């Protein structure tokens, strides 16, 4: 059997409930009002009969009817003698009930299709006994209650229909966001377009929170799919050149014409390409893990001044080999919570660029100082500088400025610098004048909430 939708079930449930409530209420009202009106009629009848008995007087055995009223408040009254013969009124409208006279008894009698409520009372005035009978027509009240029932039977289905249709529409409107969510989810899964988002209802209700949670999940999924796609395309793009170099070097080394020296040279070139490839792949892996949020930095208290002095010392020899002077000025005791390996890489990348893109006999200045709540690192060089139109592009992955000057670079160094700065809650920027040099600045907050909150 097909399962009913929630909308149908809700509508069915409350409509049945409404029918039950209406029927019970109507039944209760009907019974109470008819019992109350019956009590009222009984009282009216008994009072009219009792009043009439009090007004009956016989003078010398003859009835004095001057003070008698034979129709009071809907009650028709009749006077009988002791034997049960009608004494008064002489003229009546044919309203007579043949039932036996019974003292102080209330009864319902049906005669000629009419229903009557009957009350008889026997009394004695002087020495004359007499009966007073009161009649109350029940036909009218029965007609009214049947009419009421009929009216209810006609109106009730209408009321129920309006409630059911109205309720259905309201439930449908309430469930509309759920339907939209399902449609969007369907569109996403069939078209694999993870950039779509579930429309959120205006009010911040349960459905709003459900939609927002699903949207957050979609964003995470989208990020990790995009990171994977980007990683795959980056890797294939970056490894194509070194792989083809290795391949041609291998072919050359294996050819019978190649001399021993040539083979040696080919092997050196292959080894060089291999280390370049492995460096690129490891940087890419790191960036990809950062992209999809799976990278977990190893947070610890880092003594920045000492750490970066070590890096400067390491690279000073390399700078000297190129005829460059590397000086550093590091304010002591600057500590923050960070990932030591990443922070070493940050300065190494900046210094490698400052060495690589410098002019002969140029210089490099490294400064570390405290500014407000941040540690500021500046790496200034006297190199070729960066054209203004490239100042934004240099942070992009695989961007290389001048191919003739970029040498072995993979174009990942600065994107990694910025990523590391951001993962530490800071940022990196550059100022540069072509032909004069560049100053790279990295600002890292000394204190930040919740170390471990990674960012892209
Ligand atoms: P790579 O150095 O491997 O090419 P990077 O991401 O480190 O990649 O740098 C991107 C580009 O930014 C470089 O190709 C270069 O054009 C420019 N660049 C980076 N650092 C400097 C610098 N200190 N001086 C001049 N240009 C620079």
């Amino acid at each position: 059997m097909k399962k009913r939708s929630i909308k149908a079930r809700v509508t069915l449930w409350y409509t049945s409930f409404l029918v039950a409530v209406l029927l019970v209420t109507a039944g209760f009202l009907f019974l109470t009002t008819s019992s109350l009106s019956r009590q009222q009629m009984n009282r009216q009848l008994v009072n009219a009969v009792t009043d009439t008995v009090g007004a009956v007087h016989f003078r010398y055995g003859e009835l004095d009817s001057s003070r008698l009223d034979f129709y009071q408040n809907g009650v028709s009254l009749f006077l009988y003698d002791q034997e049960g013969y009608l004494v008064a009124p002489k003229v009546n409208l044919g309203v007579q009930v043949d039932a036996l006279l019974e003292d102080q008894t209330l009864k319902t009698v049906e005669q000629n299709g009419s229903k009557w409520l009957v009350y008889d009372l026997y009394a004695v005035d002087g020495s004359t006994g007499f009966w007073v009978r009161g009649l109350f027509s029940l036909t009218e009240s029965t007609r009214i209650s049947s009419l009421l029932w009929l009216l209810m039977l006609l109106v009730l289905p209408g009321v129920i229909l309006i409630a059911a249709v109205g309720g259905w529409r309201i439930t449908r409107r309430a469930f509309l966001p759920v339907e939209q969510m399902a449609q969007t989810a369907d569109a996403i899964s069939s078209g694999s377009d993870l950039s779509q988002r579930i429309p959120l209802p205006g009010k911040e209700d349960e459905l709003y929170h459900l939609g927002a949670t699903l949207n957050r999940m979609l964003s995470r999924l989208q990020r990790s799919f995009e990171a994977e796609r980007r990683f795959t395309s980056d890797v294939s793009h970056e490894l194509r050149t070194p792989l083809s170099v290795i391949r041609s070097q291998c072919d050359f080394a294996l050819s019978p014409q190649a001399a021993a020296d040539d083979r040696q040279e080919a092997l050196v070139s292959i080894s060089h390409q291999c280390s370049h490839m492995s460096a690129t792949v490891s940087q890419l892996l790191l960036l990809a893990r950062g992209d999809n949020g799976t990278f977990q930095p190893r947070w610890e208290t880092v003594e920045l001044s000492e750490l970066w002095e070590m890096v400067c010392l390491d690279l000073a020899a390399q700078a000297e080999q190129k005829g460059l002077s590397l000086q550093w000025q590091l304010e002591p005791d600057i500590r923050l919570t960070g990932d030591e390996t990443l922070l070493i890489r940050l300065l190494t990348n900046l210094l490698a660029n400052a060495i690589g893109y410098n002019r002969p006999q140029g210089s490099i200045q490294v400064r570390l100082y405290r500014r407000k709540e941040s540690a500021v690192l500046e790496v200034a060089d006297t190199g070729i500088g960066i054209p203004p139109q490239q100042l934004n592009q240099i942070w992009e992955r695989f961007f290389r400025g001048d191919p003739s000057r970029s040498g072995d670079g993979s174009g990942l160094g600065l994107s990694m610098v910025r990523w590391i700065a951001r993962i530490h809650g800071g940022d990196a920027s550059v100022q540069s004048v072509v032909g004069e040099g560049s100053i790279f600045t990295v600002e890292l907050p000394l204190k930040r909430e919740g170390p471990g909150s990674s960012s892209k």
Side-chain angles (χ1 to χ4, degrees):
M1 199 180 91
K2 199 178 162 225
K3 272 202 126 186
R4 283 193 199 99
S5 68
I6 299 179
K7 281 177 290 187
R9 273 185 283 163
V10 169
T11 315
L12 197 71
W13 191 89
Y14 81 75
T15 312
S16 327
F17 185 70
L18 185 73
V19 171
V21 168
L22 281 179
L23 284 179
V24 169
T25 319
F28 177 76
L29 277 178
F30 180 74
L31 288 177
T32 351
T33 46
S34 60
S35 131
L36 280 174
S37 78
R38 174 57 78 92
Q39 279 175 22
Q40 167 77 11
M41 281 189 290
N42 288 353
R43 236 188 341 264
Q44 236 166 283
L45 181 60
V46 170
N47 287 347
V49 171
T50 318
D51 288 355
T52 309
V53 164
V56 170
H57 288 295
F58 288 94
R59 199 173 291 164
Y60 313 114
E62 281 298 310
L63 174 71
D64 172 14
S65 60
S66 59
R67 283 166 52 211
L68 287 177
D69 185 0
F70 291 99
Y71 189 79
Q72 294 174 31
N73 291 334
V75 180
S76 303
L77 293 147
F78 300 90
L79 189 72
Y80 298 87
D81 65 13
Q82 223 162 341
E83 277 73 40
Y85 290 109
L86 183 68
V87 178
K90 289 290 179 230
V91 182
N92 68 70
L93 300 167
V95 184
Q96 272 279 20
V97 168
D98 296 337
L100 271 179
L101 289 160
E102 287 172 274
D103 191 23
Q104 295 184 38
T105 313
L106 261 171
K107 58 191 172 226
T108 314
V109 176
E110 240 185 286
Q111 191 168 302
N112 304 331
S114 306
K115 243 178 153 183
W116 299 94
L117 186 64
V118 180
Y119 183 66
D120 302 327
L121 194 60
Y122 180 76
V124 180
D125 181 50
S127 57
T128 319
F130 65 93
W131 290 90
V132 173
R133 163 166 282 180
L135 297 182
F136 201 112
S137 172
L138 289 177
T139 318
E140 187 63 11
S141 71
T142 319
R143 211 167 58 87
I144 290 174
S145 62
S146 334
L147 258 176
L148 273 176
W149 269 115
L150 191 72
L151 201 71
M152 212 167 73
L153 285 179
L154 287 176
V155 169
L156 209 65
V159 170
I160 291 166
L161 191 74
I162 292 171
V165 172
W168 169 262
R169 292 175 72 123
I170 291 170
T171 337
R172 217 184 57 178
R173 197 169 312 155
F175 277 96
L176 207 63
V178 178
E179 261 165 38
Q180 284 174 339
M181 282 180 193
Q183 277 167 10
T184 316
D186 236 20
I188 292 167
S189 63
S190 57
S192 314
D193 178 6
L194 285 172
S195 67
Q196 286 196 50
R197 291 290 173 272
I198 287 163
L200 298 179
K203 281 177 287 166
E204 275 203 33
D205 52 11
E206 292 86 343
L207 292 178
Y208 179 96
H209 290 300
L210 174 66
T213 311
L214 288 174
N215 280 346
R216 276 199 298 278
M217 188 185 83
L218 283 172
S219 300
R220 272 204 302 278
L221 279 177
Q222 186 187 9
R223 255 210 339 255
S224 83
F225 277 124
E226 270 168 14
E228 194 182 308
R229 202 179 303 149
R230 191 170 177 183
F231 176 74
T232 320
S233 86
D234 286 354
V235 167
S236 56
H237 173 263
E238 274 314 294
L239 299 189
R240 198 170 296 144
T241 319
L243 279 175
S244 64
V245 172
I246 290 173
R247 175 127 202 206
S248 65
Q249 292 291 341
C250 286
D251 288 346
F252 172 67
L254 288 171
S255 68
Q257 305 95 297
D261 281 0
D262 295 338
R263 289 202 176 114
Q264 176 76 18
E265 214 172 289
L267 281 174
V268 170
S269 159
I270 288 169
S271 149
H272 183 75
Q273 291 298 337
C274 283
S275 34
H276 175 70
M277 269 181 359
S278 97
T280 307
V281 168
S282 72
Q283 293 206 71
L284 270 177
L285 260 176
L286 199 58
L287 285 171
R289 282 167 62 209
D291 281 352
N292 68 20
T294 54
F295 177 76
Q296 284 300 322
R298 286 161 55 127
W299 299 109
E300 57 190 314
T301 306
V302 180
E303 168 71 66
L304 271 188
S305 329
E306 281 175 16
L307 186 78
W308 281 343
E309 181 162 28
M310 236 165 53
V311 177
C312 292
L313 281 167
D314 269 0
L315 287 162
Q318 201 180 318
E320 209 174 311
Q321 267 176 16
K322 290 213 162 190
L324 304 168
S325 79
L326 171 60
Q327 284 138 20
W328 56 93
Q329 208 182 329
L330 309 170
E331 194 181 310
D333 297 331
I334 296 187
R335 282 186 202 86
L336 51 71
T337 308
D339 183 309
E340 206 174 82
T341 322
L342 293 183
L343 291 169
I344 291 176
R345 194 184 280 255
L346 181 145
L347 184 56
T348 312
N349 285 4
L350 288 176
L351 283 179
N353 283 347
I355 295 169
Y357 299 106
N358 221 317
R359 63 171 163 77
Q361 312 306 317
S363 69
I364 302 162
Q365 287 278 344
V366 180
R367 278 183 69 208
L368 171 68
Y369 56 93
R370 223 183 286 256
R371 186 166 67 198
K372 291 183 188 162
E373 294 297 301
S374 300
V376 181
L377 169 75
E378 276 178 15
V379 179
D381 64 58
T382 50
I384 56 171
I386 303 160
Q389 69 277 13
Q390 288 181 3
L391 286 176
N392 283 327
Q393 292 171 293
I394 54 166
W395 305 101
E396 286 167 16
R397 264 171 227 187
F398 301 115
F399 176 81
R400 283 173 204 150
D402 180 0
S404 62
R405 296 296 310 265
S406 327
D408 270 356
S410 60
L412 291 173
L414 287 180
S415 59
M416 184 150 273
V417 166
R418 183 165 262 185
W419 172 67
I420 296 171
R422 286 186 177 172
I423 225 173
H424 284 81
D427 211 345
S429 57
V430 66
Q431 282 171 300
S432 184
V433 178
V434 177
E436 285 186 19
S438 315
I439 305 175
F440 283 85
T441 310
V442 176
E443 196 168 334
L444 304 175
L446 292 170
K447 280 199 186 79
R448 44 191 227 95
E449 313 109 39
S453 60
S454 68
S455 63
K456 257 178 68 171

